[in-house]
């Protein structure tokens, strides 16, 4: 693992551990099967949220995204995250959480939850400029 010294004195980037068993299921199982087998795996919830949103099921998308977001926050805290600091998109295991955050922002915007919509996009940008650029557009 490569580490970089933060010259501004902020927290080091948080890198979530990979769940190899869940990751292996992604290509051969439905997102619902992955979430049922590995309910702490944020990527499964992100896939469910993105699929529901694409299908016009905004409330389902919101619920899936919120579940994955909270599971991701739990995982971040277990990994030493103190409520702020970088969560790099470049670290693949972080992408499920970051995708849930973007999905939650999208769904919140659709149901006119303006404060949550803005807060989630800002949280994504604060966590990873690269994720924000990839997921906002």
């Amino acid at each position: 693992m490569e580490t970089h010294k933060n010259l501004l004195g902020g927290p080091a980037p948080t890198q979530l551990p990979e769940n190899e068993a869940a990751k292996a299921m992604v290509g051969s199982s439905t997102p619902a099967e992955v979430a049922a087998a590995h309910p702490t795996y944020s990527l499964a919830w992100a896939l469910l949220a993105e699929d529901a949103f694409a299908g016009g099921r905004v409330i389902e998308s919101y619920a899936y995204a919120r579940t994955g977001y909270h599971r991701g926050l739990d995982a971040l805290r277990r990994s030493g995250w103190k409520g702020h600091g970088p969560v790099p998109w470049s670290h693949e295991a972080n992408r499920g959480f970051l995708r849930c955050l973007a999905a939650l922002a999208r769904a919140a915007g659709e149901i006119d939850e303006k404060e949550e919509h803005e807060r989630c996009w800002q949280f994504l940008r604060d966590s990873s400029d690269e994720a924000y650029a990839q997921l906002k557009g």
Side-chain angles (χ1 to χ4, degrees), residues 26-49:
V26 170
S28 60
S29 303
T30 68
E33 291 169 332
V34 178
H38 302 278
T40 62
Y41 191 56
S42 289
L43 181 59
W45 297 105
L47 294 169
L48 286 164

Side-chain angles (χ1 to χ4, degrees), residues 89-112:
W89 175 259
S90 59
H91 182 68
E92 190 175 336
N94 291 347
R95 291 183 181 185
F97 167 73
L98 296 167
R99 286 172 64 175
C100 281
L101 189 51
L104 184 56
R106 269 189 229 97
E110 287 295 309
I111 62 172
D112 209 26

Side-chain angles (χ1 to χ4, degrees), residues 2-125:
E2 183 176 307
T3 60
H4 300 280
K5 182 174 170 118
N6 184 335
L7 299 177
L8 299 177
T14 302
Q15 296 185 340
L16 294 172
E18 188 59 75
N19 181 332
E20 294 297 337
K23 185 177 176 180
M25 284 184 72
V26 170
S28 60
S29 303
T30 68
E33 291 169 332
V34 178
H38 302 278
T40 62
Y41 191 56
S42 289
L43 181 59
W45 297 105
L47 294 169
L48 286 164
E50 292 164 356
D51 181 61
F53 193 86
R57 301 181 318 277
V58 176
I59 297 301
E60 285 179 44
S61 177
Y62 182 89
Y64 289 137
R66 181 160 283 290
T67 299
Y69 164 78
H70 282 286
R71 294 299 189 135
L73 286 176
D74 291 344
L76 285 168
R77 288 181 186 114
R78 281 191 306 274
S79 295
W81 185 76
K82 302 291 187 213
H84 68 284
V87 181
W89 175 259
S90 59
H91 182 68
E92 190 175 336
N94 291 347
R95 291 183 181 185
F97 167 73
L98 296 167
R99 286 172 64 175
C100 281
L101 189 51
L104 184 56
R106 269 189 229 97
E110 287 295 309
I111 62 172
D112 209 26
E113 282 282 337
K114 290 180 174 133
E115 188 176 304
E116 183 170 44
H117 170 79
E118 292 170 7
R119 178 185 58 79
C120 288
W121 282 126
Q122 187 61 53
F123 186 7
L124 182 64
R125 177 173 248 163

